[in-house]
Amino acid sequence: MEIRRVKFVTGVTPEKDEGDNNNNVNGIKRRKIEVTASCNGAGGDTEECSAHENGKPEMNQEIVMKLVLTPSILLNPNLYPKYGVASVCGRRRDMEDAVAVYPSFFKKNQEFDYPLHYFGVYDGHGCSHVAMRCRERLHELVKEEAALAAVPSSLANGEWKKAMERSFSRMDKEAIVASDGGVAAAGGGGGGSCRCEMQTPECDAVGSTAVVAVITRDKIIVANCGDSRAVLSRNGKPVPLSIDHKPDRPDELNRIQAAGGRVIYWDGPRVLGVLAMSRAIGDNYLKPYVSCEPEVTVTERTAGDDCLILASDGLWDVVSNDTACGVARMCLRGKGQVQSFSTSPENDVAMVENGGGATSSGGGENSDKACSDASMLLTKLALARRSTDNVSVVVVDLRRDTWP
């Protein structure tokens, strides 16, 4: 008997595969793998890799890659920072993650002010349209808030915190208005383009996490709302730049209870026994217990910074911060590629250091490929570790000699 199909809070019944008794925490587990990867570019200037495979997701299946290059990026290799992106549908029926990459998304003064670079990962739940709307709009809201400052790249830490909080609050209001009005929110498509068909009460039960990084010449500003995560690799060690918003986190538990809500342990801690995170954009039916307010950290960049990893919980559920940073560092150093994974994090990193039986890639002009390899290998590692969620990973090269 699947008691979680009855959600007394909203009356919404989650979907479930027939004959599948190994559901994940959201009651959905799908036999489908979809992989997409993009490197260096956004808004039409992309180098994109994609693969699609249906059927039972055996971990030893070969993934066929299709590479599409955009000449503008190749002609301007120093225009954008080095980065790589990979998204995997995994065992879910639908892809509800969304990734946003907007290099040089804002310049106050092209002559004197260093450009701001935007990276974001959004993990949708209930449906994909809130995550998709965040991908299309949140960076614009951050840009508008940053534009209020005379020199955005020199904003004080407190000003960045306020700017991010206002941006997330506006994004949350837009998501709610779009749902209430039946307005298409997913990539400009029609109201019937998503599973919930943008109809209440289904759309009230849709939301998304958001972990966003804005990188300036000397700072890394991270705003997090939900259980996606940002981790910095510095001097060979992982430095978490965000803390997951889980309902049983002591401060989050106190906040929920103070608002009159409850955290019920049903296959893990959940707000009112429903949502496995305590903060998110959307989820109108769980307010005020589920908050859209982000936690913001401002970190000074140093010469020891290797890379920044943004990823949805599909990665972090099965891969530690240390292992993820180790794999990314080895790829950036061109020590090789991982062709297969073990069950030991230490062995996984060792395989990269030793080349993993694959051809090695050098640094310099191959740095873009290295970031893409790192993001793809991390998604493959998550699948090998039997992650039951969508997996989205962004790897940004922060080494000083690789930035324009």
Side-chain angles (χ1 to χ4, degrees):
M1 180 175 66
E2 183 65 35
I3 299 178
R4 283 188 306 153
R5 289 175 60 88
V6 180
K7 296 194 181 294
F8 65 91
V9 178
T10 65
V12 178
T13 302
E15 296 182 29
K16 176 183 174 183
D17 281 343
E18 294 297 327
D20 190 350
N21 294 321
N22 296 317
N23 294 320
N24 56 27
V25 295
N26 291 320
I28 303 174
K29 176 177 176 182
R30 307 292 180 180
R31 300 182 178 275
K32 178 178 180 182
I33 296 179
E34 293 180 349
V35 180
T36 61
S38 59
C39 348
N40 267 353
D45 289 337
T46 60
E47 174 185 88
E48 187 169 72
C49 312
S50 64
H52 174 78
E53 183 168 357
N54 292 317
K56 185 176 181 180
E58 298 295 338
M59 293 302 108
N60 61 354
Q61 290 175 330
E62 180 181 0
I63 298 179
V64 181
M65 307 303 297
K66 179 182 179 182
L67 187 64
V68 180
L69 302 178
T70 301
S72 61
I73 292 300
L74 301 180
L75 294 175
N76 300 281
N78 295 321
L79 184 60
Y80 298 143
K82 313 293 186 182
Y83 69 89
V85 179
S87 293
V88 185
C89 186
R91 294 179 175 84
R92 289 293 188 90
R93 186 195 69 175
D94 298 311
M95 184 60 177
E96 296 180 333
D97 285 4
V99 177
V101 177
Y102 295 95
S104 301
F105 84 112
F106 181 65
K107 276 189 177 182
K108 187 74 172 181
N109 187 316
Q110 290 188 352
E111 294 182 2
F112 303 106
D113 193 24
Y114 189 76
L116 308 183
H117 307 288
Y118 182 99
F119 303 89
V121 172
Y122 314 109
D123 183 359
H125 47 265
C127 194
S128 62
H129 68 258
V130 173
M132 296 301 178
R133 190 165 183 83
C134 289
R135 182 185 66 184
E136 299 300 325
R137 282 287 294 153
L138 187 51
H139 72 285
E140 293 290 348
L141 299 178
V142 173
K143 179 178 177 179
E144 291 175 9
E145 295 296 336
L148 298 177
V151 185
S153 62
S154 62
L155 278 171
N157 294 1
E159 293 175 310
W160 270 117
K161 183 177 185 297
K162 293 178 181 178
M164 286 297 189
E165 288 175 350
R166 290 193 298 264
S167 300
F168 276 61
S169 178
R170 292 174 61 187
M171 186 70 253
D172 183 66
K173 292 177 181 177
E174 285 193 15
I176 293 173
V177 169
S179 295
D180 290 343
V183 179
S193 61
C194 57
R195 183 173 71 249
C196 74
E197 297 182 350
M198 296 297 293
Q199 300 296 317
T200 55
E202 286 83 359
C203 59
D204 283 340
V206 178
S208 176
T209 71
V211 59
V212 166
V214 174
I215 301 178
T216 73
R217 184 188 299 274
D218 56 359
K219 295 178 181 178
I220 305 171
I221 301 96
V222 171
N224 179 58
C225 179
D227 56 4
S228 296
R229 190 184 306 169
V231 178
L232 171 68
S233 176
R234 170 175 287 176
N235 296 320
K237 296 181 180 179
V239 180
L241 300 187
S242 67
I243 302 177
D244 300 353
H245 291 127
K246 297 294 188 181
D248 61 342
R249 211 179 85 174
D251 56 340
E252 290 295 283
L253 177 61
N254 292 337
R255 179 185 61 79
I256 294 169
Q257 292 177 340
R262 299 174 58 195
V263 173
I264 300 174
Y265 287 78
W266 190 259
D267 196 10
R270 297 172 179 270
V271 178
L272 300 185
V274 179
L275 192 62
M277 66 204 70
S278 57
R279 300 195 191 188
I281 293 174
D283 293 304
N284 193 36
Y285 74 123
L286 287 176
K287 294 185 181 304
Y289 319 125
V290 173
S291 171
C292 67
E293 181 180 348
E295 287 187 312
V296 181
T297 61
V298 181
T299 305
E300 297 293 328
R301 295 180 60 183
T302 71
D305 294 346
D306 298 311
C307 63
L308 175 67
I309 302 175
L310 304 177
S312 58
D313 66 329
L315 174 73
W316 305 118
D317 284 345
V318 294
V319 178
S320 68
N321 293 350
D322 188 63
T323 298
C325 289
V327 170
R329 283 197 309 271
M330 294 304 107
C331 288
L332 294 181
R333 293 173 184 173
K335 294 297 182 70
Q337 299 177 357
V338 179
Q339 289 184 330
S340 61
F341 295 98
S342 66
T343 57
S344 168
E346 294 77 10
N347 290 343
D348 289 333
V349 177
M351 289 179 66
V352 181
E353 292 175 339
N354 296 327
T359 58
S360 62
S361 60
E365 64 183 20
N366 291 328
S367 296
D368 306 342
K369 181 179 183 300
C371 287
S372 180
D373 286 345
S375 59
M376 179 59 71
L377 290 174
L378 287 173
T379 61
K380 288 183 177 180
L381 176 57
L383 291 179
R385 298 282 181 83
R386 302 291 178 178
S387 175
T388 58
D389 205 349
N390 300 144
V391 184
S392 294
V393 182
V394 177
V395 177
V396 184
D397 192 344
L398 294 179
R399 296 174 297 177
R400 287 289 186 181
D401 58 349
T402 66
W403 277 64

